[in-house]
Amino acid sequence: MAIETSNECMTVAQAQSLLQNGVDCRGVSDDPPRFQAGDRVRAKVMHPITYTRLPRYVRGKTGTIAKVNGVYVFPDTVGQRLATKPQYVYSVRFAAQELWGPEASPRDCLYIDLFDDHLDAT
Amino acid sequence: MNGPHDMGGMQGMGPIPIEPDEPVFHSEWEAKVFAMSFATFCNFFPVDETRHASERMPPGDYLNSAYYERWLYALELLLTEHNLVTPAEIEHRIAELAQGE
Amino acid sequence: MAHTHRPESEIALRVKAIESLLVEKGIVDPATLDTIIEAYEHQIGPHNGARIVAKAWVDADYKQRLLADGTSAIAELGLTGFSSEHMVVVENTPQVHNLIVCTLCSCYPWAILGLPPTWYKSFAYRSRAVIEPRKVLQEFGLAIPDEVEIRVWDSNADLRYLVLPERPQDTEDLSEAALAGLVTRNAMIGTAKVQPPAPPSTLAA
């Protein structure tokens, strides 16, 4: 399952193609998304000693799914060359006060893209 | 990992350093570090592996370094971990170049 | 935070040593390095994003497509590229002000805005934009009234964000190209508003 690389020297043409086209990070999943826009979710409390794109400041906090962004490869495992583990990514909205307490503006909010493996249903 | 890179909400980092008319790169070495990293993206290292490599910089060093110093750290870490270049080769080449200058 | 804590000459020497080893071992090609540097120094930059914004200002259908699916709408203009593969465009209005950050590293839509400025990559911006966006915006000279909602977007995954700023008043007569000339990088990150053009000087030369 480990992610292998070609270990080939990048040619000028390859660099131009990468600059122009980038890298498609989308993946495929046979499953429907676990959550829909409007669902309440909680970011997991977890402290992996390895790579994760789930920042501490949202862990354990409750937010709302704003949008289902589609299926993407999972950076937390790709970063360790373990597996692409494609899964849904959701734009999750957190109230500023949920994250920072009553001192924060009651109007403001934060949006962050979280993966299925980062989220629990409430 | 709970490293210094995970800085959302940290305090005491001071004012935002706004630099008018900033160049894309501030020196040749910055441009070279960027280009060497870009040229190894995908072909040698998945981009997320390079992000993780910079997060593995010791916390004190991370917080005391400039952006492209962290890229340099990540590049060097991955090159040596994957046995593409050895630390001894790097030190030897530095000594050679220093002598030639 | 652009300053290093080691002498620059020491770092430059180290980089030179690594470069010479990588070239010698056939891991990097010097011509490829030149291509990459040339692209980001001279071809890719905020003028790409400004074209997108100006088109959205003059073409309501395009704006709708841009907000619904940023990736496809931006691809219509041929402005695809590395670190802008999956784009989300968020609109500033009199009620909502959007601000983009990446707290974990410095993710940024490179193909649309070029490489990020030092302030975007700074520890101060990465740490503070999420917890005190209003104070951060004040440092950019932008006072956002309390009744306006601030939405901060932490681009931690593979999606990249672009702010569609408000079109300034009194610009009805401007061409799309002239409008693009008003749009600044910071306005597309959310740390500035687009200013109307300076009134023509009344003094003859």
Side-chain angles (χ1 to χ4, degrees):
Chain A
M1 258 319 244
I3 294 170
E4 301 289 345
T5 48
S6 70
N7 288 9
E8 279 173 5
C9 182
M10 188 182 287
T11 62
V12 169
Q14 276 183 315
Q16 284 165 339
S17 167
L18 191 59
L19 287 163
Q20 182 67 56
N21 305 311
V23 187
D24 192 344
C25 302
R26 278 171 301 189
V28 177
S29 168
D30 295 332
D31 304 319
R34 271 202 303 156
F35 305 110
Q36 298 297 334
D39 288 354
R40 300 285 285 166
V41 289
R42 182 177 291 115
K44 281 189 174 158
V45 175
M46 58 182 208
H47 296 277
I49 58 167
T50 49
Y51 185 61
T52 182
R53 299 303 285 178
L54 177 67
R56 268 175 287 183
Y57 75 89
V58 298
R59 293 179 196 167
K61 307 293 185 182
T62 299
T64 307
I65 301 285
K67 189 179 166 194
V68 183
N69 282 323
V71 177
Y72 289 80
V73 300
F74 190 41
D76 296 22
T77 47
V78 171
Q80 304 175 67
R81 291 192 181 228
L82 291 176
T84 55
K85 214 180 174 190
Q87 53 189 278
Y88 285 91
V89 177
Y90 308 88
S91 176
V92 186
R93 180 186 198 274
F94 293 92
Q97 290 194 336
E98 165 72 5
L99 299 175
W100 312 112
E103 294 290 300
S105 159
R107 266 188 214 285
D108 297 351
C109 62
L110 176 118
Y111 289 77
I112 185 165
D113 293 317
L114 299 178
F115 291 75
D116 261 321
D117 281 7
H118 295 150
L119 294 171
D120 286 324
T122 56
Chain B
M1 64 186 284
N2 293 342
H5 68 281
D6 186 359
M7 49 178 55
M10 278 177 76
Q11 293 168 323
M13 293 296 184
I16 311 294
I18 301 167
E19 180 186 337
D21 301 321
E22 188 180 339
V24 174
F25 300 109
H26 291 76
S27 63
E28 195 192 337
W29 73 261
E30 285 192 355
K32 284 294 173 73
V33 168
F34 174 80
M36 286 192 282
S37 304
F38 192 98
T40 53
F41 282 165
C42 308
N43 285 25
F44 287 90
F45 315 121
V47 179
D48 279 297
E49 189 183 20
T50 66
R51 287 198 185 100
H52 185 39
S54 73
E55 297 173 1
R56 289 157 60 203
M57 195 171 190
D61 294 343
Y62 186 100
L63 293 171
N64 252 323
S65 61
Y67 179 73
Y68 284 114
E69 277 186 286
R70 298 193 290 280
W71 279 55
L72 174 60
Y73 176 87
L75 179 65
E76 217 177 306
L77 184 66
L78 293 181
L79 288 170
T80 52
E81 277 187 348
H82 290 288
N83 296 316
L84 296 161
V85 180
T86 67
E89 282 177 313
I90 296 173
E91 296 311 322
H92 186 70
R93 184 57 55 90
I94 289 171
E96 275 178 1
L97 290 174
Q99 225 163 27
E101 275 177 4
Chain C
M1 208 58 79
H3 61 285
T4 62
H5 293 262
R6 286 185 286 171
E8 290 258 349
S9 58
E10 193 185 298
I11 302 172
L13 184 63
R14 190 164 201 92
V15 172
K16 203 164 270 193
I18 293 171
E19 182 189 359
S20 78
L21 285 166
L22 295 190
V23 169
E24 201 171 280
K25 288 168 180 274
I27 294 170
V28 301
D29 174 356
T32 300
L33 301 185
D34 290 344
T35 300
I36 294 163
I37 294 168
E38 161 70 20
Y40 285 106
E41 278 195 327
H42 300 295
Q43 294 157 25
I44 305 169
H47 55 278
N48 290 343
R51 270 182 63 197
I52 298 165
V53 169
K55 185 165 177 63
W57 282 346
V58 300
D59 181 339
D61 289 340
Y62 182 75
K63 178 178 159 183
Q64 202 171 15
R65 295 200 296 282
L66 185 68
L67 295 174
D69 179 355
T71 309
S72 311
I74 290 170
E76 286 178 35
L77 303 183
L79 297 173
T80 55
F82 189 86
S83 189
S84 306
E85 295 88 346
H86 312 288
M87 290 296 304
V88 177
V89 180
V90 291
E91 184 185 17
N92 280 354
T93 68
Q95 291 80 37
V96 174
H97 184 87
N98 294 282
L99 181 68
I100 313 301
V101 64
C102 169
T103 60
L104 293 174
C105 40
S106 303
C107 293
Y108 189 78
W110 290 1
I112 311 300
L113 297 181
L115 296 179
T118 293
W119 64 257
Y120 186 87
K121 301 179 290 195
S122 70
F123 297 147
Y125 186 71
R126 285 168 53 193
S127 61
R128 295 176 52 205
V130 287
I131 188 172
E132 49 179 20
R134 289 172 187 270
K135 283 187 186 161
V136 166
L137 290 172
Q138 271 167 15
E139 286 177 32
F140 284 91
L142 210 54
I144 303 296
D146 287 347
E147 60 275 18
V148 173
E149 174 186 339
I150 294 186
R151 296 181 183 169
V152 181
W153 300 79
D154 190 352
S155 42
N156 61 317
D158 292 308
L159 294 101
R160 296 288 174 270
Y161 290 84
L162 183 76
V163 174
L164 175 60
E166 290 174 88
R167 180 174 176 165
Q169 290 185 331
D170 304 324
T171 54
E172 295 77 13
D173 298 337
L174 293 187
S175 67
E176 192 177 322
L179 286 169
L182 301 178
V183 181
T184 62
R185 174 193 67 204
N186 288 12
M188 294 181 279
I189 310 173
T191 56
K193 287 182 184 266
V194 177
Q195 300 303 318
S201 170
T202 52
L203 294 175

